[in-house]
Amino acid sequence: MNNPLLLSISNPLNLLKPSTIPYGITLNTTINKKQQHQSRTLVVKSNTRSRTITTATSSVSVVRRRNSNGGGGFDETKVCRRDRGNAVLLCALGYMVQGSRCFPWLALNFLMSHCLHLKPSTLQLVQYTAILPMVAKPLYGVLSDVLYIDGARRVPYISIGVFLQGLAWGSLAILPGSREALPSLMGLALLSNLGASVTEVAQDALVAEYGLRYQMNGLQSYALMASAVGGVLGNLLGGYCLLKTPPRILFLAFTAILSLQLTVSLSSKEESFGLARGRETSLKKQLSDLMGVIQVDEISQPLTWIIASIATVPLLSGAVFCYQTQVLNLDPSVIGMSKVIGQLMLLCLTVVYDRYLKKTLPMRPLVHIVQLLYALSLLFDYILVKQINLSFGISNKAFVLCFSSVAEILAQFKILPFSVMLANMSPGGCEGSITSFLASALCLSSIVSGFAGVGMANMIGVSSNNYINLPVGILIQSLAAMLPLWFIHYVPMSEHGFEKEGKRGLSKRSRRNRRVGRVVGQEILAYRRERGTEAQT
């Protein structure tokens, strides 16, 4: 089927704002003001011999003309008007830098464990308290959707977030007192995560908006690949640098990397990306639209499942980290290399998902398999603590290198299908709000999981001097990870499954309206299924 294009009208008063709807939908050229406000596209039927239809964007012009021989075919010519390489560079560098945040955090964990001598439960409490600023991501997302800074709403927020991160890590590197007292260290860690959350929200919204604008389905997979590459480099360099340099040198090095990202973001012009300017709206209206969108069953049910699947598992990451470093006496290079191997696994899984799994395996069976493997992979820590690996001739170092990060990587990979689904279902102008709400909900569920792990560690008596009951806690973790499988039906079989299930009992007029989109809070929520199918083929 031919792609719907926009009509180039000589009268500027009748020019419609460009966007896209699923293929095959045809609207009349005469519409009233209310329809003009809600409509995002215009598909033209014409019996004239020659017709020129041009997109109204500043980056790509698509011209379609009838063949000179009078046939029914068309010749398409794409003319690139502006270079969009800056957008790719900005996003790729941004995700790589955010993925390499493990570089200074690895040093910070060793600083708290070996220099400040924090208990395992206290260390884990500090780790999960530090991510509290990320819970407010919906606020940052709504602000980036409605509040423009110098005519842009994504790139300036990336710059602000990078600046806050550089300020935090630079202070830890330069000011000795900030590394010696827990309150100051905690405050700077909160500032760092505040900047990281603002940057991630703006980047996720930019990727979602960019992918929808240019019909690049699954662009989040490439973003996760860039993040995994950054994680590989960060863990690899962090583990070996800690053997020869103090943590403050790692903080200073990461500050230099953030300075490079800040330079790139400040030199990038958002208008050159070819993105349409969002509609003018108020903060209250944007919040109302966000609440209306997330209450739709097609979004609320998968969101409920992914949040519950994380929050119901009491993590013992702090206790396991202290056991590896204090009891097994593993050096930082081993811990860092295990993270590197894990990030390489994540990179491979992401490539496989993007190339094969999302096209051949429905979403619900995929998530079911990943959750089951995650629950089983938590038992690798049980094998390590009980030293079962030694009976098979596998040393603790080799076992940690190969299996220590498997559960963590599966937990990250599990989020990818939900991110892609929600990004494809985001209404125009709400990309930042939707993606930030997902990220905030995931952070909040991680905090609940971490605090539950601290409480369970205290209940079973796990401390820096007593790890006898740690295997019991690991078994409870694995069993808790099985619970979300009981309500796996909250996860859709695929994006197409929602439309099929929703059509039953609807009138012809209602089904016709669903093909165009669902109005939620006066905003059209278009599923774009047919467009995504053509993009994949």
Side-chain angles (χ1 to χ4, degrees), residues 203-346:
Q203 285 181 164
D204 291 344
L206 180 60
V207 168
E209 191 175 358
Y210 194 89
L212 292 176
R213 170 64 185 83
Y214 296 107
Q215 300 183 14
M216 301 171 65
N217 188 28
L219 197 59
Q220 290 74 20
S221 301
Y222 295 97
L224 186 57
M225 292 179 196
S227 179
V229 171
V232 170
L233 296 176
N235 284 302
L236 183 63
L237 295 176
Y240 282 99
C241 289
L242 279 176
L243 294 176
K244 300 180 179 180
T245 58
R248 65 180 182 85
I249 301 299
L250 275 71
F251 301 152
L252 190 61
F254 190 70
T255 304
I257 297 175
L258 291 171
S259 301
L260 174 62
Q261 184 186 7
L262 181 61
T263 303
V264 173
S265 62
L266 290 176
S267 61
S268 301
K269 301 299 181 181
E270 188 170 325
E271 58 268 18
S272 66
F273 300 164
L275 302 177
R277 183 180 176 88
R279 59 186 174 86
E280 298 293 337
T281 184
S282 63
L283 181 62
K284 182 178 180 180
K285 176 64 166 56
Q286 191 73 8
L287 287 172
S288 177
D289 288 349
L290 174 62
M291 294 304 298
V293 170
I294 62 177
Q295 289 175 2
V296 179
D297 290 343
E298 290 86 342
I299 293 180
S300 63
Q301 290 184 358
L303 197 61
T304 300
W305 189 91
I306 189 63
I307 293 173
S309 68
I310 297 175
T312 54
V313 182
L315 289 181
L316 297 171
S317 56
V320 173
F321 177 81
C322 291
Y323 180 83
Q324 292 176 349
T325 57
Q326 296 177 359
V327 178
L328 301 182
N329 296 320
L330 298 177
D331 56 58
S333 63
V334 176
I335 305 297
M337 185 57 67
S338 68
K339 302 293 184 181
V340 169
I341 295 175
Q343 292 296 325
L344 288 174
M345 293 171 53
L346 178 61

Side-chain angles (χ1 to χ4, degrees), residues 64-381:
R64 306 180 69 216
R65 295 182 177 87
R66 287 189 179 273
N67 294 335
S68 59
N69 56 8
F74 285 89
D75 294 328
E76 293 194 5
T77 305
K78 289 189 177 182
V79 182
C80 294
R81 293 182 177 177
R82 293 193 180 181
D83 185 13
R84 301 195 303 271
N86 288 338
V88 177
L89 175 62
L90 178 64
C91 293
L93 179 62
Y95 278 104
M96 287 183 65
V97 173
Q98 295 305 311
S100 63
R101 291 179 66 239
C102 55
F103 178 73
W105 270 99
L106 182 61
L108 186 61
N109 287 334
F110 271 91
L111 177 67
M112 292 187 293
S113 176
H114 290 75
C115 298
L116 300 182
H117 303 289
L118 297 183
K119 298 179 180 180
S121 58
T122 306
L123 175 62
Q124 183 168 331
L125 193 64
V126 170
Q127 290 173 340
Y128 284 94
T129 303
I131 64 176
L132 280 175
M134 295 188 175
V135 178
K137 278 187 174 182
L139 176 61
Y140 316 144
V142 171
L143 288 177
S144 69
D145 281 338
V146 302
L147 183 60
Y148 284 77
I149 300 177
D150 195 21
R153 59 173 182 170
R154 305 301 184 202
V155 176
Y157 290 95
I158 294 177
S159 302
I160 292 173
V162 173
F163 174 77
L164 293 178
Q165 292 181 76
L167 181 63
W169 293 113
S171 300
L172 283 172
I174 298 174
L175 304 177
S178 62
R179 302 187 301 270
E180 298 173 356
L182 183 60
S184 60
L185 187 148
M186 190 67 196
L188 292 175
L190 288 170
L191 180 62
S192 170
N193 281 335
L194 173 62
S197 60
V198 174
T199 301
E200 290 173 358
V201 165
Q203 285 181 164
D204 291 344
L206 180 60
V207 168
E209 191 175 358
Y210 194 89
L212 292 176
R213 170 64 185 83
Y214 296 107
Q215 300 183 14
M216 301 171 65
N217 188 28
L219 197 59
Q220 290 74 20
S221 301
Y222 295 97
L224 186 57
M225 292 179 196
S227 179
V229 171
V232 170
L233 296 176
N235 284 302
L236 183 63
L237 295 176
Y240 282 99
C241 289
L242 279 176
L243 294 176
K244 300 180 179 180
T245 58
R248 65 180 182 85
I249 301 299
L250 275 71
F251 301 152
L252 190 61
F254 190 70
T255 304
I257 297 175
L258 291 171
S259 301
L260 174 62
Q261 184 186 7
L262 181 61
T263 303
V264 173
S265 62
L266 290 176
S267 61
S268 301
K269 301 299 181 181
E270 188 170 325
E271 58 268 18
S272 66
F273 300 164
L275 302 177
R277 183 180 176 88
R279 59 186 174 86
E280 298 293 337
T281 184
S282 63
L283 181 62
K284 182 178 180 180
K285 176 64 166 56
Q286 191 73 8
L287 287 172
S288 177
D289 288 349
L290 174 62
M291 294 304 298
V293 170
I294 62 177
Q295 289 175 2
V296 179
D297 290 343
E298 290 86 342
I299 293 180
S300 63
Q301 290 184 358
L303 197 61
T304 300
W305 189 91
I306 189 63
I307 293 173
S309 68
I310 297 175
T312 54
V313 182
L315 289 181
L316 297 171
S317 56
V320 173
F321 177 81
C322 291
Y323 180 83
Q324 292 176 349
T325 57
Q326 296 177 359
V327 178
L328 301 182
N329 296 320
L330 298 177
D331 56 58
S333 63
V334 176
I335 305 297
M337 185 57 67
S338 68
K339 302 293 184 181
V340 169
I341 295 175
Q343 292 296 325
L344 288 174
M345 293 171 53
L346 178 61
L347 181 60
C348 294
L349 285 174
T350 306
V351 172
V352 172
Y353 170 79
D354 183 69
R355 297 294 182 182
Y356 305 105
L357 293 181
K358 73 177 183 180
K359 302 175 183 178
T360 59
L361 189 62
M363 184 175 177
R364 185 185 298 171
L366 174 63
V367 174
H368 189 282
I369 294 172
V370 173
Q371 183 67 21
L372 182 61
L373 292 177
Y374 170 69
L376 296 177
S377 63
L378 290 171
L379 297 177
F380 285 136
D381 290 332

